[in-house]
Amino acid sequence: MTTQVAKKPIPAQAGIGIRHVHFREMLERLPDIGWLEAHSENYFGDGGQPLYYLEQLRAHYPLSLHGVGMSVGSASPLDQTHLKKLKKLCDRFEPGLVSEHLCWGRVGEYHLNELLPLPYTEEALAHVVLRIDAVQEFIGRKILIENLSSYLEYKHSTIPEWEFLAETANRSGCGILLDVNNIYVNACNHDFDPHKYIEAIPPDTVGEIHLAGFEQRDGLLIDTHSRNVTDDVWDLYQFTLEIIGPRPSLIEWDADIPELDVLLQEASKAQSILQSEKNAAVA
Amino acid sequence: MQPLHDIQQAFFRVVYENEFSLSSEIKDAKGLNGESRLKVYQSSILGIQTDALAAVYPVIKKLVGDEFFLAMGKAYLRKYFSPSGDLHNLGGQMAEFLQDFEPAKSLPYLADVAKLEWIWHRIFHAADEENLDFNELAKIPVEQHGQLQFYLRDGARLLASPYPVHRIWQLNQDDCKDEESVDLDEGGVQLLVTRNGYEIEMHPLNDDEWKFLQLIQLGVSLSGITEKIPEYPLDELLPQCVAKGWINRFEIRA
């Protein structure tokens, strides 16, 4: 591993989510891309191909680790095995960023393996802040917390989602991974102005941006990560950069994974929007 | 207002018990009520989890077909809840489940195919291991050879089945060009499943190899093996198992 690359922070450039189908092609081509993000749990094994390839790629690209299973919003205790595996992975790969979702999934000792929405209440906020604290303490570093897509709202929620997210970061000291596609999906599903959401987020808390494609089903937008980013979401991304400033921006594609070139084209689009925003800031 | 804990328990019952009391806590909006919104999650959770099972059990899925696998997967998930936020840990009781799964009773070999696929999955993610250090082995004086205790690779597993599960597995790989079918009457198989570098290998074993590796796995030393079964062709078996990389460690037993 080249530690010069390994220890580099994630640059304010476009990156792509790395999936096993692209391991070999990435290593053969070493495309010009700012950074890579890997799903932490895909590398929780003790050895074998996934860790081997991640290590190879790590020598060439800054790496971010993105978890889907920590369940910081669950009422049940944190899964100590999960925490230990994440820490071990962080110690080995020294990722530039580590992120989790503002959601829950664990019930007792079982898991629903989906990113489930919390009621936005003082009770949930206090709970999630304590848990993020515990995760940060355990792995010995700050994490980013990502806003998620949701298909329901609880009647007893008292805090708008954007305030809940900003306050989570404020109280726990974590950063925010702002998923612009999820904001768009939720704005359509729950009828609010996505610009208002973005304006409510303190810019200096945002460490990363996610972009992805959604599908429409049963009268809802579903965050499937299986399509190109839509024009509306590109527009919202541009708006986000204007408000928040350039940030590392990731193209996520986790289902019906296309040819690597399709991902690289999407990343190149994000990169040109990022670059024009950087140029505008200089001018 | 329900506390967080109760909401999450109620959500769990939506998914696995089809019990929708939580609906009354969910806002109706855009023509979708609480129950239909919860059903979106129920379907998504069961979809994610059955996809994870299909990723571990592609041969089972091919053998029973997509529709049967989906129904079987959902029945499995209602009996064995997902143990972890890491989906790679889901599915470990499939063989046990299939033994009692009435709709699959006409396919008695399924449970053993499931055992083989789970072993494959675990070995794929198992720790990387060194090969046997021949120089160190060569240093052991002849008089101590009887005290040698050899070890199978930590990731290696032995599997015996009265069905030809190895052939069933091979013929159901996507890249298999062999159009032959398997005759269940061709008999069972004794297998060693192990990893060579990052590639998984399955080796059908003859009776001598099988018994030898079983004794090795039980922790019996070379002299112990000779005492138990004097007619064993140890001179052939040991170098062969070492050369193939199945055995990768040794120690001298006091």
Side-chain angles (χ1 to χ4, degrees), chain A residues 41-42 44 46-49 52 73-75 104 109-114 116-117 119 123 150-151 153-156 188 220, chain B residues 1 4 7-8 11 16 24-27 30 37 41 44-45 49 81-88 124-128 198:
Chain A
E41 288 81 1
N42 287 344
F44 274 9
D46 293 323
Q49 278 187 22
Y52 166 79
S74 280
W104 67 277
E109 54 191 300
Y110 302 117
H111 217 290
L112 294 170
N113 303 115
E114 170 63 297
L116 300 171
E123 179 210 10
S150 71
Y151 317 117
E153 290 179 296
Y154 300 92
K155 284 180 185 167
H156 63 285
C188 295
L220 291 167
Chain B
M1 180 184 91
L4 201 53
I7 285 178
Q8 295 179 351
F11 218 114
Y16 298 111
S24 60
E25 304 290 325
I26 310 294
K27 281 186 194 170
K30 297 189 155 192
R37 286 172 182 274
Y41 280 105
S44 150
I45 290 164
Q49 294 184 337
F81 303 131
S82 173
S84 156
D86 173 6
L87 274 167
H88 298 93
F124 183 80
H125 294 285
D128 303 339
Y198 295 113

Short mmCIF file of all heavy atoms in Angstrom, two decimals, chain A residues 41-42 44 46-49 52 73-75 104 109-114 116-117 119 123 150-151 153-156 188 220, chain B residues 1 4 7-8 11 16 24-27 30 37 41 44-45 49 81-88 124-128 198:
data_model
loop_
_atom_site.label_atom_id
_atom_site.label_comp_id
_atom_site.label_asym_id
_atom_site.label_seq_id
_atom_site.Cartn_x
_atom_site.Cartn_y
_atom_site.Cartn_z
N GLU A 41 -19.42 -3.05 5.16
CA GLU A 41 -19.78 -4.44 5.49
C GLU A 41 -19.29 -5.44 4.44
O GLU A 41 -19.12 -6.62 4.75
CB GLU A 41 -21.29 -4.59 5.66
CG GLU A 41 -21.84 -3.94 6.94
CD GLU A 41 -22.05 -2.43 6.81
OE1 GLU A 41 -21.78 -1.87 5.71
OE2 GLU A 41 -22.46 -1.81 7.81
N ASN A 42 -19.07 -4.99 3.21
CA ASN A 42 -18.58 -5.91 2.18
C ASN A 42 -17.15 -6.35 2.45
O ASN A 42 -16.63 -7.24 1.77
CB ASN A 42 -18.67 -5.26 0.79
CG ASN A 42 -20.10 -5.19 0.30
OD1 ASN A 42 -20.98 -5.86 0.85
ND2 ASN A 42 -20.34 -4.37 -0.70
N PHE A 44 -16.02 -6.94 5.78
CA PHE A 44 -15.99 -7.40 7.17
C PHE A 44 -15.44 -8.82 7.30
O PHE A 44 -15.28 -9.32 8.41
CB PHE A 44 -17.39 -7.35 7.80
CG PHE A 44 -17.74 -5.99 8.39
CD1 PHE A 44 -16.94 -4.88 8.19
CD2 PHE A 44 -18.89 -5.85 9.17
CE1 PHE A 44 -17.27 -3.64 8.73
CE2 PHE A 44 -19.23 -4.61 9.73
CZ PHE A 44 -18.41 -3.51 9.51
N ASP A 46 -12.73 -12.05 7.12
CA ASP A 46 -11.37 -12.12 7.67
C ASP A 46 -10.31 -12.07 6.59
O ASP A 46 -9.14 -11.83 6.88
CB ASP A 46 -11.22 -13.43 8.47
CG ASP A 46 -12.09 -13.42 9.70
OD1 ASP A 46 -12.22 -12.35 10.31
OD2 ASP A 46 -12.66 -14.48 10.04
N GLY A 47 -10.69 -12.36 5.35
CA GLY A 47 -9.70 -12.36 4.26
C GLY A 47 -10.39 -12.60 2.93
O GLY A 47 -11.58 -12.35 2.79
N GLY A 48 -9.61 -13.09 1.95
CA GLY A 48 -10.21 -13.42 0.65
C GLY A 48 -10.17 -12.28 -0.35
O GLY A 48 -9.58 -11.22 -0.09
N GLN A 49 -10.82 -12.53 -1.48
CA GLN A 49 -10.76 -11.60 -2.62
C GLN A 49 -11.18 -10.17 -2.32
O GLN A 49 -10.51 -9.23 -2.76
CB GLN A 49 -11.65 -12.12 -3.74
CG GLN A 49 -11.00 -13.18 -4.58
CD GLN A 49 -11.87 -13.54 -5.79
OE1 GLN A 49 -12.71 -12.77 -6.21
NE2 GLN A 49 -11.64 -14.74 -6.30
N TYR A 52 -8.48 -8.30 -0.62
CA TYR A 52 -7.30 -8.24 -1.50
C TYR A 52 -7.48 -7.13 -2.53
O TYR A 52 -6.59 -6.29 -2.71
CB TYR A 52 -7.12 -9.60 -2.20
CG TYR A 52 -6.15 -9.54 -3.36
CD1 TYR A 52 -4.77 -9.53 -3.14
CD2 TYR A 52 -6.62 -9.47 -4.67
CE1 TYR A 52 -3.89 -9.45 -4.20
CE2 TYR A 52 -5.74 -9.38 -5.74
CZ TYR A 52 -4.37 -9.38 -5.50
OH TYR A 52 -3.50 -9.28 -6.56
N GLY A 73 -29.76 4.45 15.00
CA GLY A 73 -31.05 4.88 15.55
C GLY A 73 -31.84 3.80 16.27
O GLY A 73 -32.97 4.04 16.69
N SER A 74 -31.27 2.60 16.41
CA SER A 74 -32.04 1.53 17.05
C SER A 74 -32.10 1.70 18.56
O SER A 74 -31.11 2.11 19.18
CB SER A 74 -31.40 0.16 16.76
OG SER A 74 -31.77 -0.26 15.49
N ALA A 75 -33.25 1.34 19.13
CA ALA A 75 -33.39 1.38 20.58
C ALA A 75 -32.54 0.27 21.23
O ALA A 75 -32.14 0.38 22.38
CB ALA A 75 -34.85 1.22 20.96
N TRP A 104 -32.38 3.44 11.50
CA TRP A 104 -32.29 2.28 12.39
C TRP A 104 -32.58 1.02 11.57
O TRP A 104 -33.11 1.11 10.47
CB TRP A 104 -33.28 2.42 13.55
CG TRP A 104 -34.72 2.35 13.12
CD1 TRP A 104 -35.48 3.37 12.62
CD2 TRP A 104 -35.55 1.20 13.13
NE1 TRP A 104 -36.73 2.92 12.32
CE2 TRP A 104 -36.81 1.59 12.62
CE3 TRP A 104 -35.37 -0.13 13.52
CZ2 TRP A 104 -37.88 0.70 12.49
CZ3 TRP A 104 -36.42 -1.01 13.40
CH2 TRP A 104 -37.66 -0.60 12.89
N GLU A 109 -31.75 -8.59 18.99
CA GLU A 109 -30.48 -9.09 18.41
C GLU A 109 -30.61 -9.38 16.92
O GLU A 109 -29.72 -9.96 16.31
CB GLU A 109 -30.04 -10.36 19.15
CG GLU A 109 -31.10 -11.43 19.19
CD GLU A 109 -30.74 -12.56 20.15
OE1 GLU A 109 -29.70 -13.19 19.95
OE2 GLU A 109 -31.54 -12.79 21.08
N TYR A 110 -31.73 -8.96 16.33
CA TYR A 110 -31.95 -9.22 14.91
C TYR A 110 -31.86 -7.93 14.09
O TYR A 110 -31.85 -6.84 14.64
CB TYR A 110 -33.30 -9.91 14.70
CG TYR A 110 -33.39 -11.19 15.47
CD1 TYR A 110 -34.33 -11.37 16.49
CD2 TYR A 110 -32.50 -12.23 15.21
CE1 TYR A 110 -34.39 -12.54 17.21
CE2 TYR A 110 -32.54 -13.41 15.94
CZ TYR A 110 -33.48 -13.56 16.94
OH TYR A 110 -33.53 -14.72 17.66
N HIS A 111 -31.84 -8.11 12.76
CA HIS A 111 -31.64 -6.95 11.91
C HIS A 111 -32.60 -6.97 10.73
O HIS A 111 -32.83 -8.02 10.13
CB HIS A 111 -30.19 -6.92 11.42
CG HIS A 111 -29.64 -5.54 11.33
ND1 HIS A 111 -30.08 -4.63 10.39
CD2 HIS A 111 -28.72 -4.89 12.07
CE1 HIS A 111 -29.43 -3.49 10.56
NE2 HIS A 111 -28.60 -3.61 11.59
N LEU A 112 -33.12 -5.82 10.39
CA LEU A 112 -34.01 -5.72 9.23
C LEU A 112 -33.25 -5.38 7.94
O LEU A 112 -33.81 -5.45 6.85
CB LEU A 112 -35.13 -4.70 9.49
CG LEU A 112 -36.09 -5.13 10.61
CD1 LEU A 112 -37.03 -3.99 11.02
CD2 LEU A 112 -36.92 -6.33 10.19
N ASN A 113 -31.98 -5.04 8.06
CA ASN A 113 -31.11 -4.83 6.89
C ASN A 113 -31.66 -3.82 5.88
O ASN A 113 -31.45 -3.96 4.67
CB ASN A 113 -30.81 -6.16 6.18
CG ASN A 113 -30.17 -7.18 7.11
OD1 ASN A 113 -30.75 -8.22 7.41
ND2 ASN A 113 -28.98 -6.87 7.62
N GLU A 114 -32.37 -2.83 6.38
CA GLU A 114 -32.85 -1.75 5.53
C GLU A 114 -32.61 -0.44 6.28
O GLU A 114 -32.44 -0.45 7.52
CB GLU A 114 -34.34 -1.98 5.22
CG GLU A 114 -35.11 -0.87 4.52
CD GLU A 114 -34.61 -0.51 3.12
OE1 GLU A 114 -33.44 -0.06 3.03
OE2 GLU A 114 -35.38 -0.64 2.16
N LEU A 116 -34.06 2.35 7.81
CA LEU A 116 -35.43 2.68 8.23
C LEU A 116 -35.48 4.05 8.91
O LEU A 116 -34.59 4.40 9.70
CB LEU A 116 -35.96 1.60 9.16
CG LEU A 116 -35.99 0.21 8.50
CD1 LEU A 116 -36.32 -0.88 9.51
CD2 LEU A 116 -36.98 0.18 7.34
N PRO A 117 -36.54 4.81 8.61
CA PRO A 117 -36.60 6.19 9.13
C PRO A 117 -36.96 6.24 10.61
O PRO A 117 -37.73 5.41 11.11
CB PRO A 117 -37.69 6.84 8.29
CG PRO A 117 -38.56 5.72 7.84
CD PRO A 117 -37.68 4.49 7.74
N PRO A 119 -38.67 8.39 13.87
CA PRO A 119 -39.58 9.51 14.12
C PRO A 119 -38.68 10.70 14.51
O PRO A 119 -37.70 10.52 15.23
CB PRO A 119 -40.42 9.04 15.31
CG PRO A 119 -39.67 7.92 15.92
CD PRO A 119 -38.71 7.37 14.91
N GLU A 123 -36.89 12.62 21.72
CA GLU A 123 -36.45 11.32 22.25
C GLU A 123 -35.46 10.66 21.28
O GLU A 123 -34.38 10.21 21.67
CB GLU A 123 -37.67 10.39 22.44
CG GLU A 123 -37.30 9.00 22.97
CD GLU A 123 -38.24 7.89 22.50
OE1 GLU A 123 -39.07 8.14 21.59
OE2 GLU A 123 -38.11 6.77 23.02
N SER A 150 -37.05 8.27 2.44
CA SER A 150 -38.06 7.59 3.24
C SER A 150 -39.40 7.59 2.54
O SER A 150 -39.67 8.42 1.67
CB SER A 150 -38.16 8.21 4.63
OG SER A 150 -38.75 9.49 4.54
N TYR A 151 -40.21 6.63 2.91
CA TYR A 151 -41.49 6.41 2.24
C TYR A 151 -42.65 6.56 3.21
O TYR A 151 -43.78 6.24 2.89
CB TYR A 151 -41.47 5.01 1.57
CG TYR A 151 -40.15 4.79 0.88
CD1 TYR A 151 -39.27 3.79 1.27
CD2 TYR A 151 -39.73 5.69 -0.11
CE1 TYR A 151 -38.02 3.65 0.66
CE2 TYR A 151 -38.48 5.57 -0.72
CZ TYR A 151 -37.63 4.55 -0.31
OH TYR A 151 -36.39 4.44 -0.89
N GLU A 153 -43.91 8.96 7.05
CA GLU A 153 -43.62 9.90 8.13
C GLU A 153 -44.46 9.50 9.34
O GLU A 153 -45.61 9.09 9.18
CB GLU A 153 -43.99 11.33 7.72
CG GLU A 153 -43.08 11.90 6.65
CD GLU A 153 -43.50 13.31 6.26
OE1 GLU A 153 -44.61 13.46 5.71
OE2 GLU A 153 -42.73 14.24 6.52
N TYR A 154 -43.88 9.62 10.51
CA TYR A 154 -44.62 9.28 11.74
C TYR A 154 -45.46 10.48 12.17
O TYR A 154 -45.00 11.62 12.10
CB TYR A 154 -43.65 8.91 12.86
CG TYR A 154 -42.78 7.72 12.53
CD1 TYR A 154 -41.52 7.90 11.93
CD2 TYR A 154 -43.20 6.42 12.80
CE1 TYR A 154 -40.72 6.82 11.61
CE2 TYR A 154 -42.40 5.34 12.49
CZ TYR A 154 -41.16 5.54 11.90
OH TYR A 154 -40.36 4.46 11.58
N LYS A 155 -46.67 10.17 12.64
CA LYS A 155 -47.56 11.26 13.06
C LYS A 155 -46.97 12.07 14.21
O LYS A 155 -47.21 13.26 14.33
CB LYS A 155 -48.91 10.66 13.52
CG LYS A 155 -49.80 10.22 12.37
CD LYS A 155 -51.09 9.64 12.92
CE LYS A 155 -51.94 9.08 11.79
NZ LYS A 155 -53.04 8.25 12.30
N HIS A 156 -46.21 11.41 15.07
CA HIS A 156 -45.74 12.13 16.26
C HIS A 156 -44.39 12.82 16.07
O HIS A 156 -43.81 13.32 17.04
CB HIS A 156 -45.72 11.20 17.47
CG HIS A 156 -44.76 10.05 17.34
ND1 HIS A 156 -45.00 8.97 16.54
CD2 HIS A 156 -43.56 9.83 17.92
CE1 HIS A 156 -43.98 8.11 16.64
NE2 HIS A 156 -43.10 8.62 17.47
N CYS A 188 -40.29 14.99 -2.86
CA CYS A 188 -41.44 14.53 -3.68
C CYS A 188 -42.37 13.66 -2.85
O CYS A 188 -43.59 13.80 -2.91
CB CYS A 188 -40.94 13.74 -4.89
SG CYS A 188 -40.00 14.75 -6.02
N LEU A 220 -44.70 6.53 -5.28
CA LEU A 220 -43.58 7.04 -4.49
C LEU A 220 -42.30 7.00 -5.32
O LEU A 220 -42.18 6.19 -6.24
CB LEU A 220 -43.35 6.14 -3.25
CG LEU A 220 -44.40 6.16 -2.15
CD1 LEU A 220 -44.17 4.99 -1.19
CD2 LEU A 220 -44.35 7.49 -1.38
N MET B 1 -48.15 9.11 21.83
CA MET B 1 -46.89 8.88 21.11
C MET B 1 -46.20 7.62 21.64
O MET B 1 -46.06 7.43 22.85
CB MET B 1 -45.97 10.07 21.34
CG MET B 1 -44.65 9.94 20.65
SD MET B 1 -43.57 11.33 21.04
CE MET B 1 -42.71 10.75 22.47
N LEU B 4 -39.61 4.99 21.03
CA LEU B 4 -38.81 4.44 19.92
C LEU B 4 -38.79 2.91 19.93
O LEU B 4 -38.99 2.25 18.90
CB LEU B 4 -37.38 4.99 20.08
CG LEU B 4 -36.48 4.99 18.86
CD1 LEU B 4 -37.13 5.68 17.68
CD2 LEU B 4 -35.16 5.69 19.23
N ILE B 7 -42.04 1.36 18.69
CA ILE B 7 -42.23 1.53 17.24
C ILE B 7 -41.38 0.52 16.47
O ILE B 7 -41.83 -0.10 15.51
CB ILE B 7 -41.84 2.98 16.84
CG1 ILE B 7 -42.95 3.92 17.27
CG2 ILE B 7 -41.59 3.10 15.34
CD1 ILE B 7 -42.71 5.35 17.00
N GLN B 8 -40.17 0.33 16.94
CA GLN B 8 -39.27 -0.58 16.21
C GLN B 8 -39.72 -2.03 16.35
O GLN B 8 -39.64 -2.81 15.40
CB GLN B 8 -37.83 -0.34 16.69
CG GLN B 8 -37.39 1.09 16.29
CD GLN B 8 -35.99 1.48 16.71
OE1 GLN B 8 -35.32 0.78 17.47
NE2 GLN B 8 -35.54 2.64 16.23
N PHE B 11 -42.60 -2.40 14.00
CA PHE B 11 -42.11 -2.47 12.61
C PHE B 11 -41.68 -3.91 12.29
O PHE B 11 -41.96 -4.44 11.22
CB PHE B 11 -40.91 -1.52 12.45
CG PHE B 11 -40.86 -0.80 11.14
CD1 PHE B 11 -41.01 0.57 11.06
CD2 PHE B 11 -40.64 -1.51 9.96
CE1 PHE B 11 -40.95 1.24 9.85
CE2 PHE B 11 -40.58 -0.84 8.74
CZ PHE B 11 -40.73 0.53 8.69
N TYR B 16 -42.47 -9.47 9.57
CA TYR B 16 -42.46 -10.94 9.65
C TYR B 16 -43.78 -11.55 10.09
O TYR B 16 -43.97 -12.76 9.96
CB TYR B 16 -41.33 -11.41 10.58
CG TYR B 16 -39.98 -11.00 10.04
CD1 TYR B 16 -39.21 -10.04 10.68
CD2 TYR B 16 -39.49 -11.56 8.87
CE1 TYR B 16 -37.99 -9.65 10.18
CE2 TYR B 16 -38.26 -11.18 8.35
CZ TYR B 16 -37.52 -10.22 9.01
OH TYR B 16 -36.31 -9.84 8.51
N SER B 24 -51.43 3.02 12.42
CA SER B 24 -52.10 4.17 13.00
C SER B 24 -51.11 5.27 13.41
O SER B 24 -51.51 6.40 13.69
CB SER B 24 -52.93 3.73 14.22
OG SER B 24 -52.06 3.16 15.17
N GLU B 25 -49.83 4.94 13.47
CA GLU B 25 -48.80 5.93 13.83
C GLU B 25 -48.21 6.63 12.60
O GLU B 25 -47.35 7.50 12.73
CB GLU B 25 -47.64 5.24 14.58
CG GLU B 25 -48.03 4.47 15.81
CD GLU B 25 -48.48 5.39 16.94
OE1 GLU B 25 -47.91 6.49 17.06
OE2 GLU B 25 -49.39 5.00 17.69
N ILE B 26 -48.64 6.20 11.40
CA ILE B 26 -48.05 6.72 10.16
C ILE B 26 -49.02 7.68 9.47
O ILE B 26 -50.22 7.40 9.40
CB ILE B 26 -47.74 5.54 9.19
CG1 ILE B 26 -46.97 4.42 9.89
CG2 ILE B 26 -47.03 6.02 7.93
CD1 ILE B 26 -45.59 4.76 10.33
N LYS B 27 -48.46 8.77 8.95
CA LYS B 27 -49.30 9.77 8.28
C LYS B 27 -49.88 9.23 6.97
O LYS B 27 -49.17 8.60 6.20
CB LYS B 27 -48.46 11.00 7.92
CG LYS B 27 -48.19 11.94 9.05
CD LYS B 27 -47.47 13.18 8.50
CE LYS B 27 -46.88 14.01 9.63
NZ LYS B 27 -45.99 15.05 9.15
N LYS B 30 -50.93 11.78 0.11
CA LYS B 30 -50.89 11.50 -1.32
C LYS B 30 -51.59 10.19 -1.67
O LYS B 30 -51.09 9.39 -2.49
CB LYS B 30 -49.44 11.43 -1.80
CG LYS B 30 -48.71 12.75 -1.65
CD LYS B 30 -47.38 12.68 -2.35
CE LYS B 30 -46.93 14.07 -2.72
NZ LYS B 30 -45.82 14.11 -3.63
N ARG B 37 -47.84 2.30 3.06
CA ARG B 37 -46.46 2.79 3.19
C ARG B 37 -45.59 1.75 3.91
O ARG B 37 -44.45 1.51 3.53
CB ARG B 37 -46.44 4.12 3.94
CG ARG B 37 -46.95 5.26 3.06
CD ARG B 37 -47.14 6.57 3.78
NE ARG B 37 -47.68 7.55 2.84
CZ ARG B 37 -46.93 8.31 2.05
NH1 ARG B 37 -45.62 8.24 2.10
NH2 ARG B 37 -47.49 9.16 1.22
N TYR B 41 -42.01 -0.90 2.79
CA TYR B 41 -40.83 -1.34 3.56
C TYR B 41 -40.80 -2.85 3.74
O TYR B 41 -39.73 -3.47 3.66
CB TYR B 41 -40.80 -0.64 4.93
CG TYR B 41 -40.26 0.76 4.82
CD1 TYR B 41 -41.10 1.86 4.90
CD2 TYR B 41 -38.89 0.98 4.63
CE1 TYR B 41 -40.60 3.14 4.78
CE2 TYR B 41 -38.38 2.26 4.52
CZ TYR B 41 -39.24 3.35 4.59
OH TYR B 41 -38.73 4.62 4.46
N SER B 44 -39.54 -4.24 0.60
CA SER B 44 -38.14 -3.91 0.37
C SER B 44 -37.22 -4.73 1.29
O SER B 44 -36.19 -5.27 0.86
CB SER B 44 -37.97 -2.41 0.57
OG SER B 44 -36.71 -2.11 1.03
N ILE B 45 -37.61 -4.87 2.56
CA ILE B 45 -36.78 -5.64 3.51
C ILE B 45 -36.69 -7.11 3.09
O ILE B 45 -35.60 -7.69 3.01
CB ILE B 45 -37.35 -5.52 4.95
CG1 ILE B 45 -37.12 -4.09 5.46
CG2 ILE B 45 -36.71 -6.54 5.89
CD1 ILE B 45 -37.95 -3.71 6.67
N GLN B 49 -33.33 -9.08 1.83
CA GLN B 49 -32.87 -10.28 2.53
C GLN B 49 -32.93 -11.52 1.63
O GLN B 49 -32.03 -12.37 1.69
CB GLN B 49 -33.65 -10.46 3.83
CG GLN B 49 -33.34 -9.32 4.82
CD GLN B 49 -34.01 -9.48 6.17
OE1 GLN B 49 -35.03 -10.17 6.30
NE2 GLN B 49 -33.47 -8.82 7.18
N PHE B 81 -34.47 -15.12 11.77
CA PHE B 81 -34.31 -13.69 11.53
C PHE B 81 -32.84 -13.38 11.24
O PHE B 81 -31.94 -14.08 11.70
CB PHE B 81 -34.77 -12.88 12.74
CG PHE B 81 -36.19 -13.16 13.13
CD1 PHE B 81 -36.53 -13.44 14.44
CD2 PHE B 81 -37.21 -13.15 12.17
CE1 PHE B 81 -37.84 -13.70 14.80
CE2 PHE B 81 -38.53 -13.41 12.52
CZ PHE B 81 -38.84 -13.69 13.85
N SER B 82 -32.63 -12.30 10.51
CA SER B 82 -31.26 -11.91 10.15
C SER B 82 -30.47 -11.56 11.41
O SER B 82 -30.90 -10.74 12.22
CB SER B 82 -31.32 -10.70 9.21
OG SER B 82 -30.03 -10.21 8.97
N PRO B 83 -29.30 -12.16 11.60
CA PRO B 83 -28.59 -11.97 12.86
C PRO B 83 -27.71 -10.73 12.94
O PRO B 83 -27.13 -10.46 13.98
CB PRO B 83 -27.71 -13.23 12.93
CG PRO B 83 -27.43 -13.56 11.50
CD PRO B 83 -28.64 -13.13 10.72
N SER B 84 -27.59 -9.99 11.83
CA SER B 84 -26.55 -8.97 11.83
C SER B 84 -26.82 -7.88 10.79
O SER B 84 -27.54 -8.09 9.82
CB SER B 84 -25.22 -9.69 11.53
OG SER B 84 -24.27 -8.84 10.99
N GLY B 85 -26.19 -6.72 11.01
CA GLY B 85 -26.25 -5.64 10.04
C GLY B 85 -25.34 -5.93 8.84
O GLY B 85 -25.34 -5.18 7.87
N ASP B 86 -24.59 -6.99 8.93
CA ASP B 86 -23.76 -7.44 7.81
C ASP B 86 -24.49 -8.60 7.15
O ASP B 86 -24.56 -9.71 7.72
CB ASP B 86 -22.39 -7.87 8.35
CG ASP B 86 -21.52 -8.50 7.29
OD1 ASP B 86 -21.91 -8.50 6.11
OD2 ASP B 86 -20.43 -9.00 7.65
N LEU B 87 -25.02 -8.36 5.96
CA LEU B 87 -25.86 -9.37 5.29
C LEU B 87 -25.10 -10.66 4.96
O LEU B 87 -25.72 -11.68 4.66
CB LEU B 87 -26.44 -8.78 4.00
CG LEU B 87 -27.76 -8.00 4.18
CD1 LEU B 87 -28.07 -7.21 2.93
CD2 LEU B 87 -28.92 -8.94 4.52
N HIS B 88 -23.78 -10.61 4.99
CA HIS B 88 -23.02 -11.83 4.70
C HIS B 88 -23.23 -12.89 5.78
O HIS B 88 -22.87 -14.05 5.59
CB HIS B 88 -21.51 -11.51 4.59
CG HIS B 88 -21.21 -10.58 3.47
ND1 HIS B 88 -21.14 -9.22 3.64
CD2 HIS B 88 -20.98 -10.81 2.17
CE1 HIS B 88 -20.88 -8.65 2.48
NE2 HIS B 88 -20.79 -9.58 1.57
N PHE B 124 -14.88 -18.35 1.16
CA PHE B 124 -14.58 -17.20 0.29
C PHE B 124 -14.09 -16.01 1.13
O PHE B 124 -13.20 -15.28 0.72
CB PHE B 124 -15.84 -16.82 -0.51
CG PHE B 124 -15.62 -15.71 -1.50
CD1 PHE B 124 -15.02 -15.95 -2.72
CD2 PHE B 124 -16.02 -14.40 -1.20
CE1 PHE B 124 -14.82 -14.93 -3.64
CE2 PHE B 124 -15.82 -13.37 -2.11
CZ PHE B 124 -15.21 -13.63 -3.32
N HIS B 125 -14.72 -15.83 2.31
CA HIS B 125 -14.38 -14.67 3.15
C HIS B 125 -13.41 -15.04 4.29
O HIS B 125 -13.17 -14.21 5.17
CB HIS B 125 -15.65 -14.07 3.75
CG HIS B 125 -16.56 -13.46 2.72
ND1 HIS B 125 -16.30 -12.26 2.13
CD2 HIS B 125 -17.71 -13.91 2.16
CE1 HIS B 125 -17.27 -11.97 1.25
NE2 HIS B 125 -18.13 -12.96 1.26
N ALA B 126 -12.92 -16.29 4.30
CA ALA B 126 -12.07 -16.72 5.42
C ALA B 126 -10.70 -16.03 5.37
O ALA B 126 -10.28 -15.50 4.34
CB ALA B 126 -11.88 -18.24 5.36
N ALA B 127 -10.02 -16.07 6.51
CA ALA B 127 -8.71 -15.41 6.61
C ALA B 127 -7.72 -16.01 5.60
O ALA B 127 -7.78 -17.20 5.29
CB ALA B 127 -8.17 -15.59 8.02
N ASP B 128 -6.83 -15.16 5.09
CA ASP B 128 -5.77 -15.65 4.22
C ASP B 128 -4.80 -16.47 5.06
O ASP B 128 -4.54 -16.13 6.21
CB ASP B 128 -5.01 -14.46 3.59
CG ASP B 128 -5.97 -13.54 2.81
OD1 ASP B 128 -7.05 -14.02 2.43
OD2 ASP B 128 -5.62 -12.37 2.60
N TYR B 198 -6.88 -17.22 -3.70
CA TYR B 198 -8.23 -16.67 -3.57
C TYR B 198 -9.27 -17.50 -4.31
O TYR B 198 -10.43 -17.12 -4.38
CB TYR B 198 -8.24 -15.22 -4.08
CG TYR B 198 -7.38 -14.33 -3.22
CD1 TYR B 198 -6.22 -13.76 -3.71
CD2 TYR B 198 -7.71 -14.11 -1.88
CE1 TYR B 198 -5.41 -12.98 -2.90
CE2 TYR B 198 -6.91 -13.34 -1.07
CZ TYR B 198 -5.77 -12.78 -1.59
OH TYR B 198 -4.97 -12.01 -0.78
#
